[in-house]
Amino acid sequence: MKKVLVLLLFIGCSEKKSEMSLAPVDFNTIYKNTSNAILLDVRSEAEVKDGALPNAQNIVYDDSFGDKLGGLSKESPIFVYCAAGKRSAKAAEILRGKGFKEVYQLKGGLNAWKDAKLPL
């Protein structure tokens, strides 16, 4: 638990809230230790069928992404990922623009997650 607190303090002091891009191990650790966290997969439905992180909610990143966020709490921390990181970075930017206070993005996406040999 001390490692998580140190990591959170480091991230809070070294990055702006708008730049919360985390390596897979850090993303996983902070997600698991954050209460009321929402895990958001922004890949297509076909991509999700090939495998996803446990308990992830799927909202496809497309032109209407910003209009689909009404069911998410702006007070809950959001952990967002896609396949390689580009869509989740754009989605994170939209989330912040819509007033979501705490948004974390998986750097390198699910590809980096798999490279780190983390479980699906």
Side-chain angles (χ1 to χ4, degrees):
M1 187 63 174
K2 286 182 182 180
K3 288 181 182 180
V4 172
L5 290 175
V6 170
L7 182 61
L8 286 172
L9 285 172
F10 174 75
I11 290 168
C13 294
S14 66
E15 295 187 43
K16 295 177 184 174
K17 286 277 187 198
S18 62
E19 299 172 358
M20 296 294 264
S21 181
L22 301 172
V25 171
D26 297 334
F27 183 93
N28 187 42
T29 300
I30 295 171
Y31 169 70
K32 286 184 173 183
N33 289 290
T34 302
S35 43
N36 299 321
I38 297 170
L39 183 59
L40 185 61
D41 184 334
V42 297
R43 298 175 303 145
S44 70
E45 292 173 9
E47 289 173 297
V48 171
K49 286 180 183 176
D50 287 337
L53 299 182
N55 302 314
Q57 180 177 344
N58 180 233
I59 300 178
V60 176
Y61 176 80
D62 57 17
D63 291 338
S64 63
F65 176 76
D67 298 329
K68 302 176 195 175
L69 304 174
L72 300 177
S73 168
K74 291 183 179 180
E75 303 304 317
S76 294
I78 307 282
F79 290 77
V80 61
Y81 74 95
C82 65
K86 290 183 180 183
R87 288 175 286 178
S88 60
K90 292 176 184 176
E93 188 175 321
I94 291 170
L95 285 157
R96 289 183 197 101
K98 294 277 189 182
F100 289 84
K101 298 180 187 321
E102 197 173 346
V103 181
Y104 301 91
Q105 182 221 343
L106 176 58
K107 183 185 264 182
L110 197 58
N111 294 336
W113 182 275
K114 290 175 183 177
D115 288 346
K117 300 188 182 348
L118 293 166
L120 287 177

